[in-house]
Amino acid sequence: MRDHMELVGLPGAGKSTLVEFLTKAWANAAEAEDLSISSPEPVTPTEFRKTLISLSARLFFRAPGTTVSLFREEDGKMLIRRLAYRLAGVQQRHIKSPAVHVNSGVLQPLVTFATEDSDLTMDLSDLWHSTLNASLATLPPPAVLIYVSAPAPVAQARFIARGRRVTAWGKEVSDGRMTERFKAGEATCERIRENCEARGSSVFVVDSSSPFEEAMVRDLAVTTSKILCREK
């Protein structure tokens, strides 16, 4: 399953902004005629259960101790369920046409989990590292990965400026803990980039610490659509 493109990046990195610009550029690119921007696919309970069982089995095969430990943690079970749901949606989308997954891919949940959703990345860091490695070895790599890169302090400041906060068990975490979370998210993004490069994905790193240049966006739109539609 290679005919899809994913965007990953920290919360506040600028993924949505870049997609807005890319969508306009793709609309004017003949190479992107068959390309579609994917919204999360509705997944039936049956398909979700089937994918959950399959994903859990593959994770257990690769890292049995890690998988058992994850299922003992509420955060761990939440992550596996989220990955399974996203994977089921991507698999359904795969049969239609080449697609760009912004908030519907299988890799970004790993970043969101590390940054916003769980303290496993700090409190059980060895478990998180083994979880990340097993997940990346199991989940399908995209044909194209766009990593929207912003330094953790920059992304964190943007995140806060939107009035958002990182929480744990329904309570806001301290500023120091949030900084740790964003650093963990940044490390997760880098690990995803390395894994996708090693598995043959075309990886583009877009620096979002300054405004996106029109020429860069146009060139990125043409290049990525050529790669993706070739994989069809």
Side-chain angles (χ1 to χ4, degrees):
M1 186 175 63
R2 297 281 297 184
D3 60 346
H4 69 286
M5 180 190 313
E6 290 204 33
L7 278 80
V8 299
L10 287 170
K15 298 182 296 298
S16 298
T17 301
L18 179 60
V19 167
E20 288 180 13
F21 291 138
L22 281 173
T23 300
K24 294 176 183 177
W26 280 321
N28 296 319
E31 296 85 354
E33 182 179 358
D34 296 328
L35 198 61
S36 65
I37 310 297
S38 174
S39 299
E41 287 282 318
V43 176
T44 66
T46 299
E47 190 61 32
F48 170 67
R49 285 194 296 271
K50 177 181 175 182
T51 307
L52 178 60
I53 292 170
S54 173
L55 177 62
S56 300
R58 283 182 286 159
L59 286 171
F60 183 81
F61 176 78
R62 291 187 180 276
T66 295
T67 306
V68 170
S69 295
L70 276 178
F71 274 105
R72 289 174 178 165
E73 300 285 339
E74 286 302 317
D75 289 357
K77 288 187 284 189
M78 176 186 71
L79 175 63
I80 292 176
R81 288 194 296 266
R82 183 176 299 172
L83 291 175
Y85 191 88
R86 288 288 187 89
L87 181 57
V90 169
Q91 289 170 339
Q92 289 182 180
R93 193 70 185 80
H94 163 69
I95 64 175
K96 299 177 182 178
S97 64
V100 180
H101 295 289
V102 183
N103 293 313
S104 58
V106 297
L107 298 178
Q108 181 61 29
L110 294 168
V111 182
T112 303
F113 184 81
T115 310
E116 297 185 62
D117 292 338
S118 176
D119 279 335
L120 283 183
T121 47
M122 271 73 70
D123 297 336
L124 296 170
S125 58
D126 289 343
L127 174 58
W128 170 241
H129 290 148
S130 58
T131 296
L132 183 58
N133 290 334
S135 298
L136 291 175
T138 303
L139 297 169
V144 176
L145 176 76
I146 298 178
Y147 170 24
V148 186
S149 174
V154 172
Q156 182 178 341
R158 293 174 181 169
F159 183 80
I160 294 173
R162 295 175 184 170
R164 298 177 64 186
R165 298 287 298 184
V166 170
T167 61
W169 304 109
K171 297 181 180 180
E172 292 185 0
V173 302
S174 66
D175 289 345
R177 194 67 159 177
M178 189 176 350
T179 297
E180 291 178 358
R181 289 273 199 89
F182 269 77
K183 288 180 179 178
E186 187 175 36
T188 300
C189 287
E190 288 294 337
R191 183 70 188 89
I192 290 172
R193 176 187 64 78
E194 293 169 358
N195 178 269
C196 286
E197 287 177 341
R199 298 178 73 187
S201 300
S202 297
V203 177
F204 299 87
V205 180
V206 178
D207 182 5
S208 66
S209 55
S210 56
F212 300 122
E213 296 181 358
E214 183 178 349
M216 179 278 293
V217 173
R218 184 174 60 249
D219 291 345
L220 182 62
V222 171
T223 302
T224 53
S225 57
K226 283 181 177 179
I227 295 171
L228 197 61
C229 292
R230 186 178 66 225
E231 295 282 348
K232 184 176 61 170

